[in-house]
């Protein structure tokens, strides 16, 4: 090999061997704009502000502790302290109530003069005074001394019988029966006309409505009465009748469960025969498996043999490119928001996640999560979370027994979805949510049991295990529990999983003898759905085409801009003006007042959930001021200003701006009102001038 020629510029090159040159990077392949939403120069603000990271905004949803270390405020140095990120810990909410509470039996009495003749249901059905205390003393005495003799019981019964008042009223009602006193103690009415009365011609809030002055008057004798607009009432009734005939889009809330049924559940009196059969089989199967001494119980997968429901008996669902799905969203995925998304084009909606045990205990707030609007039917699914096989199976049987039809005038349930992705520590530590992915055999048995007891209602799940015999749809979120929202969704992993599933389906179809096996021939198709970081119609169609999935589920993208469903349908960006966005908020408030009522408590509930939604909506950066497209959900913009004052207000990250927006529709907040944002927000309004 020839030696290299001496260097003309370095005389010492012949004597001293120079080290090997370092590899020079000719170009930086990293994206200099990663994580930043570029704003057009004319909309940038000169004052810099510390950027809010995506993980800081969204990790609080999990209600878990996340710590990071930062330098001490005084003196810096190496001293570090723990700092809790997110504010979804021990949040307190303001639920205003009247100082003087009007009896519920009198709320809808149309005239003041009829109040005296109205029977108070609370006083009529109240427990006799002192009865509860006597029962406790009696129970204590029985434990200490033993059961009382028959004579003692007779005497005690006589004593109690003599105490009760002859008119049947054991005590006075604890609420006010004086209408004038109640109205005098109320806060001043909100300005304007009651939104519910304006739509229907009558108000279900009655005398407790925050706009009661707009639909109540005083006659010539000084007697108060509620005004009913018979014309509006008739028109509203005709409109509802027409919408019922045309199916689904009326203003009646469905899936409501009576208190008597909840009490039966609480007392364990609701029959769940199929669940008992499955529990008995599971116990026998477990005993047999333990007796055989399997070392790896994960391999001993359940195989239910007591004639499961034929696949042909299940209702078929369809998920495709033209059916965008709204994900189940805790807190923010309430009925008014789902109703808004349904109107904007959501093809399938889910309830907020309901826990199995509280459902079986007849817990009122948990059952309220399953209420739906008729416009969501027949494409509304209930999502449940179970930590044990028995409770998840029983809850499924109760739901599908009470709501057997996909669309009716009283109820509607298209499917039941099992949550296998909840990262919340409280759920995870009890063995539910994402913890089910660590126990495949338990998960498969849970799905088989749910499929067996659900009748014709199909079962879906959010899972990473493919078992086509028991579910009709599988949703995969492209993040792990540990990542939360600190990383982009991994659509490469979703695409690889979709390819594996399709290959498995192809092999299964090849080996199945459909001429002999009728069940294999009737087996429904299993849809595979991807989820994560879909923020535009471009993301949606790219995810379907490149991710090789049947459909895409939308979550945060729909919260930030609900018209995302409309963009998908039209296949183009929609630069919504601030006025149009405010109209969506007005519509949400109207839906909230129809759902929760227009009284003090209903207004406070609507305001609370509106503020929760606005904490996501404020992240929207208008398309018209972005310098590059498509927008990415993980990007955070530098300080920017809107095209008008209203757009500045809607884009403000200060929660006080959200309260101002709520006051436009719900009136001034009470003097003691407070709201703690779920996410870490900045206290500086983005629009500085």
């Amino acid at each position: 090999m020839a030696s290299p020629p001496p260097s003309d510029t370095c005389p010492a090159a012949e004597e001293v061997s120079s080290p090997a040159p370092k590899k020079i990077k000719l170009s930086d392949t990293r994206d200099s704009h990663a994580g930043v939403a570029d704003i057009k120069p004319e909309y940038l603000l000169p004052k810099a502000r510390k950027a809010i990271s995506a993980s800081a905004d969204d990790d609080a949803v999990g209600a878990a502790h996340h710590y990071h270390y930062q330098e001490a405020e005084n003196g810096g140095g190496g001293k570090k302290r723990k700092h809790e990120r997110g504010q979804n810990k021990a949040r307190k909410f303001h639920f205003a109530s009247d100082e003087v509470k009007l009896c519920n039996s009198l709320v809808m009495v149309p005239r003041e003069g009829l109040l005296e003749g109205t029977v108070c249901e609370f006083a009529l059905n109240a427990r006799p005074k002192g009865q509860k205390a006597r029962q406790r003393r009696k129970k204590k005495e029985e434990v200490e001394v033993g059961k009382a003799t028959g004579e003692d019981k007779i005497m005690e019964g006589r004593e109690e019988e003599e105490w009760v008042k002859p008119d049947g009223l054991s005590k006075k009602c604890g609420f006010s029966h004086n209408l004038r006193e109640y109205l005098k103690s109320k806060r001043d009415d909100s300005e304007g006309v009651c939104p519910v009365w304006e739509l229907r011609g009558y108000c279900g809030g009655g005398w407790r409505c925050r706009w009661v002055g707009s639909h109540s008057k005083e006659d010539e004798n000084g007697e108060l009465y509620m005004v009913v607009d018979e014309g509006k009432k008739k028109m509203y009734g005709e409109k509802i009748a027409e919408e019922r005939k045309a199916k689904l889009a009326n203003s009646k809330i469905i899936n409501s469960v009576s208190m008597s049924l909840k009490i039966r559940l609480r007392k364990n009196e609701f029959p769940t025969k199929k669940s008992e059969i499955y529990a008995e089989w599971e116990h026998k199967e477990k005993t047999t498996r333990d007796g055989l001494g399997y070392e790896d119980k994960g391999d001993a997968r359940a195989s239910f043999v007591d004639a499961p429901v034929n696949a042909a008996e299940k209702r078929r669902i369809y998920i495709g490119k033209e059916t965008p799905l709204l994900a189940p969203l805790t807190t923010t995925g309430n009925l008014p928001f789902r109703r808004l998304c349904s109107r904007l084009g959501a093809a399938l909606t889910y309830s907020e996640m309901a826990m199995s045990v509280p459902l079986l205990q007849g817990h009122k707030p948990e059952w309220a999560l399953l209420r739906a609007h008729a416009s969501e039917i027949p494409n509304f699914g209930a999502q449940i979370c179970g930590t044990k096989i028995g409770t998840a199976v029983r809850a499924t049987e109760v739901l599908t027994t009470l709501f057997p039809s996909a669309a009716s005038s009283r109820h509607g349930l298209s499917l039941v979805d099992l949550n296998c992705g909840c990262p919340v520590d409280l759920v995870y530590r009890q063995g539910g949510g994402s913890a089910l992915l660590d126990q495949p055999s338990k998960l498969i048995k849970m799905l088989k049991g749910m499929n067996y007891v659900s009748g014709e209602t199909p079962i879906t799940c959010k899972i990473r295990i493919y078992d086509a015999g028991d579910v009709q749809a599988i949703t995969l979120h492209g993040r792990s529990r540990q990542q939360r929202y600190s990383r982009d969704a991994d659509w490469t992993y979703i695409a690889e999983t979709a390819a594996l599933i399709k290959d498995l389906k192809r092999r299964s179809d090849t080996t199945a003898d459909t001429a002999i096996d009728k069940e294999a021939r009737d087996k429904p198709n299993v849809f595979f759905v991807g989820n994560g970081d879909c923020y535009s119609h471009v993301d949606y169609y790219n995810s379907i085409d490149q991710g090789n999935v049947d459909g895409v589920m939308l979550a945060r993208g729909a919260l930030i801009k609900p018209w995302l469903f409309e963009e998908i349908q039209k296949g183009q960006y929609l630069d919504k003006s601030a006025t149009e966005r405010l109209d969506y908020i007005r519509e949400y408030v109207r839906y909230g007042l129809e759902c929760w009522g227009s009284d003090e408590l209903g207004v406070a509930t609507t305001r609370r959930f509106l503020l929760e939604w606005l904490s996501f909506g404020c992240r929207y950066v208008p398309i018209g001021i972005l310098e590059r497209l498509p927008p990415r959900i993980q990007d955070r913009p530098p300080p920017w200003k809107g095209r008008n004052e209203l757009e500045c207000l809607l884009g403000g990250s200060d929660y006080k701006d959200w309260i101002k927006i709520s006051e436009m529709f719900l009136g001034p907040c009470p003097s003691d009102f407070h709201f703690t944002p779920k996410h870490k927000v900045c206290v500086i309004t983005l629009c500085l001038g």
Side-chain angles (χ1 to χ4, degrees), residues 1-6:
M1 179 181 291
S3 59

Short mmCIF file of all heavy atoms in Angstrom, two decimals, residues 1-6:
data_model
loop_
_atom_site.label_atom_id
_atom_site.label_comp_id
_atom_site.label_asym_id
_atom_site.label_seq_id
_atom_site.Cartn_x
_atom_site.Cartn_y
_atom_site.Cartn_z
N MET A 1 0.86 -1.20 0.00
CA MET A 1 0.00 0.00 0.00
C MET A 1 0.88 1.23 0.00
O MET A 1 1.83 1.32 0.78
CB MET A 1 -0.92 -0.01 1.23
CG MET A 1 -1.83 1.23 1.31
SD MET A 1 -2.88 1.21 2.77
CE MET A 1 -3.96 -0.11 2.38
N ALA A 2 0.60 2.20 -0.86
CA ALA A 2 1.39 3.43 -0.94
C ALA A 2 1.08 4.32 0.23
O ALA A 2 -0.06 4.43 0.68
CB ALA A 2 1.09 4.15 -2.24
N SER A 3 2.20 4.96 0.72
CA SER A 3 2.01 5.87 1.84
C SER A 3 1.46 7.18 1.35
O SER A 3 1.75 7.61 0.24
CB SER A 3 3.34 6.10 2.56
OG SER A 3 4.27 6.65 1.64
N PRO A 4 0.70 7.88 2.16
CA PRO A 4 0.09 9.14 1.73
C PRO A 4 1.15 10.20 1.57
O PRO A 4 2.17 10.19 2.24
CB PRO A 4 -0.87 9.48 2.89
CG PRO A 4 -0.31 8.78 4.07
CD PRO A 4 0.30 7.53 3.55
N PRO A 5 0.98 11.14 0.65
CA PRO A 5 1.94 12.20 0.43
C PRO A 5 2.00 13.14 1.62
O PRO A 5 1.02 13.28 2.36
CB PRO A 5 1.40 12.91 -0.81
CG PRO A 5 -0.06 12.65 -0.79
CD PRO A 5 -0.21 11.30 -0.21
N PRO A 6 3.21 13.76 1.84
CA PRO A 6 3.32 14.68 2.97
C PRO A 6 2.45 15.90 2.75
O PRO A 6 2.17 16.32 1.64
CB PRO A 6 4.82 15.04 2.97
CG PRO A 6 5.27 14.83 1.58
CD PRO A 6 4.47 13.68 1.06
#
